[in-house]
Amino acid sequence: MGYFEEIRKTVARIPRGRVSTYGEVARVAGYPRTARQVAWALRDGSLLGIPWQRVLGSGGRILLRGRYGRMQRELLEGEGVRFAGDRVEMARHAFTFPVKAPRVGTARIDGNR
DNA sequence: GATATGACGCAAA
DNA sequence: GTTTGCGCCATAT
């Protein structure tokens, strides 16, 4: 799987009305410290049917400048995302990606390893 | 291979 | 709260 594909797949998991951040997406996708590259993967997200508007800078700030930035805000507000000033109310909308942890089965101790 | 470019993030001032 | 500097790393040229 390619890098972009992983990133896009991760972004696609963000539910409507919830948001995430570049850094978070990068980590969850399995590529820590590649927050900047996430932006690259989303450049033509709108053309790929990816909810690019749900990815924000840390702290819930919209980093996109100009009309695209305004468009992002409109799209988000359109799906019920609330803003406090220039940033999204992360406490309310931050999406926590489900951890794909090994099951914590009842009688399973997970010996070593 | 070498450089330049960013929708980043964080620590420091 | 703001600005600055720097590390980061996939693509583009």
Side-chain angles (χ1 to χ4, degrees), chain A residues 19-87:
Chain A
V19 299
S20 190
T21 64
Y22 300 98
E24 182 68 8
V25 168
R27 273 194 301 282
V28 174
Y31 296 85
R33 297 183 294 289
T34 62
R36 293 182 104 137
Q37 288 57 247
V38 171
W40 240 286
L42 298 181
R43 274 179 70 188
D44 20 50
S46 53
L47 309 174
L48 299 168
I50 289 169
W52 60 272
Q53 72 275 23
R54 298 178 191 152
V55 184
L56 310 164
S58 88
R61 204 185 267 86
I62 286 181
L63 301 183
L64 206 44
R65 301 311 186 95
R67 71 189 184 81
Y68 286 103
R70 291 191 293 280
M71 177 188 299
Q72 178 171 23
R73 175 157 184 158
E74 286 170 25
L75 286 169
L76 289 174
E77 293 181 321
E79 49 186 74
V81 175
R82 302 280 239 58
F83 282 73
D86 64 337
R87 47 166 66 194

Side-chain angles (χ1 to χ4, degrees), chain A residues 9-20:
Chain A
K9 219 165 50 176
T10 301
V11 172
R13 292 170 55 193
I14 306 172
R16 186 168 151 26
R18 312 302 297 286
V19 299
S20 190

Side-chain angles (χ1 to χ4, degrees), chain A residues 88-104:
Chain A
V88 167
E89 286 183 26
M90 294 305 272
R92 183 196 280 287
H93 299 101
F95 174 58
T96 304
F97 286 87
V99 181
K100 288 182 185 156
R103 7 186 63 271
V104 187

